[in-house]
């Protein structure tokens, strides 16, 4: 009898949590206290953690610890509170002995995932990949296996890898969905006498860097030829509302399962569905696995293969697709003629202003996520500083906002041979664009280059020296610089990268000209030309649709219905 009561009570608590009804969940936890006090204290701790209440979480955790001090879940919850308090090194130290034990699957997945988050933030990319792989293997539910597999793939990009390794890792992700039954599209309307229905699926239809790259994709198509549906996987903000008002149909699918979301898209009769997240956070790829649209494309928010057999194309441009880049993809590259994206700043930028470069120390800088700044990047930067002995380095990023992360980062900087007195470090801030006024030359990271930070730098008049690699994702900076006419800033080897940075630091005339001209160069380029971008994207959509309809008509299939 007690077991039945507990199961009903737990179901009620989790249903309340799923619907965001904290008061109802708290009432259920209070009832559970009489039966299972340790479990109730754990749920209360987790609830406060999710709500961002560190003090309340710690108080509830103390109740849990008094009842079950050595329980793995108790230890995991304490590690989560450490993360809330920006104490990730403490969290990892607490998790380390726990991860050497044989844990229940549910706790193992949570603990390894948390360790992966901590390692990634601290710039320990190889550790992050290891922990996320362990979390993937421990997960019992497909949704959690997929989530952690995406984390593995995303964090692999901080590390050197071959095209074959990239593709093989992506294919392993695709294999997770072997048992998913996709929708079929024999009855899909292939008439040429109507507008094409384009769907965009994104967790970043909000104030987020990806929206600055995708807003034109959603809004610049010819309304006489295209009907635009946007499927958001995020909470709404004022930027969400702007998109809602600019497109034909807007739906928020964030509360649906992958299958439910796919069915909603399928019922809308979308011709071409474009995923804007890939293996970043957002749960979009499990939706694509159901193939809710006959043609599916990925790109913009991610820079490598999804690995899904149901993803047909990946957005690219001539610089990204150069060489053998396609070998890293299970998708066919859909190569636009100029830039694969159109960048539109979400908020007005301050003026681009720099002091004349002559007669003062040059400042190199980076605002990239510190995980991108691997040890080899730091060693190359050390050599640049050695060759320009009066120069300084400014690093501004989130890791320097927290004490344990900042200490770890400064230790790695010194170990790479960069004298501490020549480095200025700052934490992230809302007014970060102003920092570019103190940077003369931005140094891009490799093999994972900057994205939004590179656009920001150029728009703020700061030249960016980038190193293009073998993979599509490693060439983002090169594509951007080619499109604005700044090819001279692109390097293909480490020595070229060093030479370009040093040469520019020693040429005050060129540096002043770039400081004064880069904003206009960027604004006048394909990178910010929304109408032209809408035209070429529309032509690409029509081309792949024509290819699809010709292929389907050639097969001479009957009119049997799709998946129900």
């Amino acid at each position: 009898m007690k077991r039945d009561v507990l199961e009903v009570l737990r179901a009620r608590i989790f249903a309340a949590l799923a619907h965001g009804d904290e008061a109802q969940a708290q009432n259920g936890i209070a009832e559970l206290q009489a039966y299972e006090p340790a479990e109730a204290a754990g749920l209360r701790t987790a609830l406060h953690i999710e709500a961002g209440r560190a003090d309340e979480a710690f108080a509830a955790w103390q109740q849990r610890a008094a009842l079950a001090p050595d329980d793995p879940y108790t230890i995991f919850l304490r590690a989560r509170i450490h993360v809330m308090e920006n104490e990730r090194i403490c969290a990892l130290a607490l998790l380390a002995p726990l991860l050497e034990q044989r844990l229940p699957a549910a706790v193992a997945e949570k603990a390894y995932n948390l360790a992966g988050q901590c390692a990634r933030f601290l710039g320990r990319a190889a550790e992050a990949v290891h922990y996320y792989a362990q979390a993937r293997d421990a997960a019992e539910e497909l949704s959690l296996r997929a989530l952690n597999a995406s984390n593995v793939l995303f964090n692999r990009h901080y590390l050197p890898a071959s095209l074959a390794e990239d593709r093989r890792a992506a294919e392993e992700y695709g294999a997770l969905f072997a048992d998913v039954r996709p929708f079929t599209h024999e009855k899909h309307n292939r008439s040429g006498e109507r507008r094409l229905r384009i769907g965009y699926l994104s967790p970043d239809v909000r104030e987020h860097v990806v929206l600055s790259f995708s807003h034109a994709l959603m809004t610049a198509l010819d309304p006489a030829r295209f009907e635009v549906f946007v499927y958001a996987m995020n909470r709404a903000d004022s930027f969400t509302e702007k998109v809602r008002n600019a497109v034909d149909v807007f739906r928020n699918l964030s509360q649906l399962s992958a299958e439910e979301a796919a069915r909603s898209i399928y019922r809308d009769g979308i011709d071409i569905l474009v995923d804007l997240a890939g293996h970043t956070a957002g749960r979009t790829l499990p939706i694509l696995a159901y193939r809710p649209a006959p043609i599916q494309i990925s790109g913009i928010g991610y820079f490598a293969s999804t690995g899904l057999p149901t993803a047909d194309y990946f957005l690219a441009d001539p610089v990204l697709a150069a060489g053998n880049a396609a070998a890293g993809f299970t998708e066919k590259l859909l190569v636009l003629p100029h830039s694969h994206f159109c960048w539109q700043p979400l908020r007005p930028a301050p003026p681009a202003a720099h002091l004349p470069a002559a007669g003062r120390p040059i400042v190199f800088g980076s605002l990239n996520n510190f995980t991108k700044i691997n040890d080899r990047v730091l060693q190359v930067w050390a050599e640049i500083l050695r060759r320009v002995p009066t120069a300084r380095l400014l690093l501004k990023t989130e890791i320097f906002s927290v004490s344990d992360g900042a200490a770890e980062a400064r230790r790695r900087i010194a170990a790479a041979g960069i004298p501490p007195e020549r480095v200025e470090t700052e934490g992230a801030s809302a007014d970060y664009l102003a920092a570019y006024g103190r940077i003369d030359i931005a140094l891009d990271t490799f093999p994972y280059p900057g994205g939004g930070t590179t656009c920001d730098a150029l728009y703020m008049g700061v030249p960016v020296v980038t190193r293009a690699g073998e993979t599509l994702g490693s060439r983002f900076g090169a594509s951007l610089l080619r499109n604005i006419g700044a090819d001279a800033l692109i390097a293909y080897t480490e020595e070229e990268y060093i030479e370009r940075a040093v040469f520019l630091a020693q040429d005050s005339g060129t540096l002043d000209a770039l400081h004064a001209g880069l904003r206009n160069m960027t604004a006048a380029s394909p990178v910010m030309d929304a109408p032209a971008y809408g035209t070429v994207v529309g032509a690409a959509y029509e081309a792949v649709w024509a290819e699809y309809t010709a292929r389907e008509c050639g097969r001479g299939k009957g009119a049997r219905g799709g998946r129900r």
Side-chain angles (χ1 to χ4, degrees):
M1 183 66 178
K2 176 184 173 183
R3 179 179 298 177
D4 293 341
V5 170
L6 287 177
E7 289 308 311
V8 170
L9 186 53
R10 287 172 180 135
R12 203 171 83 222
I13 293 169
F14 288 116
L17 291 171
H19 288 89
D21 189 344
E22 182 177 333
Q24 188 63 29
Q26 288 277 29
N27 290 338
I29 292 170
E31 290 183 47
L32 183 64
Q33 180 81 28
Y35 299 98
E36 296 287 350
E39 181 181 354
L43 284 170
R44 194 173 290 112
T45 303
L47 190 151
H48 288 309
I49 290 172
E50 292 299 330
R53 298 186 290 260
D55 291 342
E56 292 88 339
F58 184 67
W61 177 83
Q62 288 179 306
Q63 297 174 7
R64 165 88 185 191
L67 296 165
D70 300 320
D71 185 83
Y73 188 60
T74 303
I75 297 168
F76 162 76
L77 288 172
R78 183 65 184 98
R80 283 199 69 186
I81 295 170
H82 276 305
V83 172
M84 290 183 75
E85 296 171 332
N86 289 316
E87 298 170 345
R88 291 173 180 82
I89 291 177
C90 290
L92 279 175
L94 196 60
L95 290 170
L98 187 67
L99 298 178
E100 294 176 359
Q101 303 175 24
R102 188 177 184 86
L103 300 173
V107 177
E109 185 277 328
K110 293 177 187 296
Y112 277 115
N113 179 279
L114 185 62
Q117 293 177 46
C118 293
R120 184 212 59 78
F121 182 86
L122 294 169
R124 305 176 188 177
E127 287 183 37
V129 169
H130 167 75
Y131 288 135
Y132 282 131
Q134 295 295 318
R136 174 200 62 201
D137 296 343
E140 294 181 318
E141 298 175 16
L142 175 59
S143 60
L144 290 176
R145 287 200 303 276
L147 170 67
N148 286 291
S150 283
N151 287 332
V152 169
L153 287 169
F154 186 88
N155 284 271
R156 285 183 75 256
H157 296 295
Y158 295 117
L159 306 169
S162 69
L163 292 167
E165 289 170 334
D166 281 350
R167 177 167 180 147
R168 193 158 50 245
E171 287 173 337
E172 289 176 2
Y173 176 85
L176 293 175
F177 298 93
D179 294 333
V180 169
R181 185 181 167 206
F183 291 96
T184 57
H185 300 277
E186 287 90 346
K187 278 190 172 181
H188 193 90
N189 182 358
R190 295 193 287 271
S191 167
E193 304 302 317
R194 63 178 181 85
R195 294 188 294 169
L196 280 181
R197 284 192 171 182
I198 311 299
Y200 293 105
L201 177 62
S202 175
D204 300 313
V205 190
R206 57 192 172 99
E207 187 171 11
H208 188 277
V209 64
V210 171
L211 186 59
S212 69
F213 291 116
S214 59
H215 187 269
L217 199 63
M218 299 173 182
T219 60
L221 293 174
D222 181 356
R225 293 152 52 207
F226 300 98
E227 190 177 6
V228 175
F229 288 60
V230 169
Y231 301 99
M233 301 288 290
N234 55 268
R235 290 182 179 178
D237 63 13
S238 61
F239 290 88
T240 312
E241 295 309 309
K242 290 177 183 177
V243 173
R244 183 195 300 271
N245 294 331
V247 301
D248 296 288
V249 178
F250 181 95
R251 304 195 196 288
N252 193 307
L253 307 181
S254 60
Q255 299 303 309
L256 303 183
S257 69
E259 184 172 5
E260 289 168 340
R263 189 175 295 280
S264 177
I265 297 168
Y266 177 75
R267 286 173 176 162
D268 282 336
I270 297 299
D271 299 310
I272 300 173
L273 180 64
V274 185
D275 156 56
L276 299 173
H279 288 290
T280 62
R283 303 182 294 114
T284 60
L285 295 185
I287 297 171
L288 260 65
Y290 287 92
R291 191 179 279 285
I295 299 174
Q296 300 194 148
I297 301 172
S298 189
I300 302 296
Y302 185 62
F303 39 81
S305 180
T306 66
L308 287 173
T310 53
D312 306 297
Y313 296 94
F314 192 94
L315 280 177
D317 60 42
V319 176
L320 298 184
N324 200 30
F329 285 79
T330 59
E331 303 89 348
K332 182 179 179 180
L333 297 185
L334 181 58
V335 182
L336 303 182
H338 302 294
S339 173
H340 71 292
F341 68 87
C342 177
W343 182 65
Q344 298 178 303
L346 299 184
R347 293 186 181 276
H354 288 81
L355 294 173
R360 62 175 178 83
I362 295 301
V363 179
F364 294 102
S366 172
L367 273 67
N368 277 310
N369 164 9
F370 195 76
T371 310
K372 295 182 179 182
I373 305 175
N374 58 59
D375 289 342
R376 186 57 196 156
V377 167
L378 288 171
Q379 290 162 7
V380 169
W381 291 357
E383 178 59 20
I384 292 171
L385 291 176
R386 189 189 70 78
R387 296 190 196 183
V388 189
T390 60
R392 296 178 57 77
L393 179 65
L394 170 60
L395 301 178
K396 183 178 177 65
T397 190
E398 187 180 3
I399 198 169
F400 297 110
S401 301
V402 298
S403 58
D404 66 346
E408 169 110 347
R410 293 189 184 108
R411 178 191 62 75
R412 286 183 47 213
I413 291 167
I418 299 176
E421 65 272 13
R422 297 183 66 186
V423 184
E424 182 180 357
T425 59
E426 298 178 2
S429 62
D431 62 348
Y432 69 96
L433 286 177
Y436 284 111
R438 295 181 282 130
I439 296 172
D440 295 298
I441 302 167
L443 298 175
D444 204 0
T445 49
F446 55 86
Y448 188 166
T453 54
T454 303
C455 292
D456 287 337
L458 295 171
Y459 200 65
M460 292 302 298
V462 180
V464 181
V465 178
T466 193
R467 183 195 166 195
E470 182 185 26
T471 64
L472 181 149
S474 70
R475 297 180 188 153
F476 183 96
S479 169
L480 180 51
L481 292 168
R482 173 74 52 82
N483 273 288
I484 71 167
D487 295 59
L489 297 173
I490 304 170
Y492 296 91
T493 67
E494 287 181 1
E495 182 58 30
E496 283 185 0
Y497 178 95
I498 293 168
E499 289 174 353
R500 279 160 173 69
V502 171
F503 177 82
L504 192 54
Q506 295 170 342
D507 186 347
S508 59
T510 298
L511 199 49
D512 286 343
L514 288 170
H515 287 163
L518 276 170
R519 175 170 291 192
N520 287 338
M521 288 171 64
T522 305
S525 75
V527 167
M528 295 186 71
D529 189 344
Y533 182 70
T535 298
V536 299
V537 169
Y541 289 162
E542 288 174 333
V544 297
W545 180 251
E547 182 181 331
Y548 167 77
T549 54
R551 184 172 63 247
E552 291 303 302
C553 290
R555 287 176 179 169
K557 287 193 173 184
R560 291 185 59 81
R563 182 183 188 275
R564 296 288 185 233

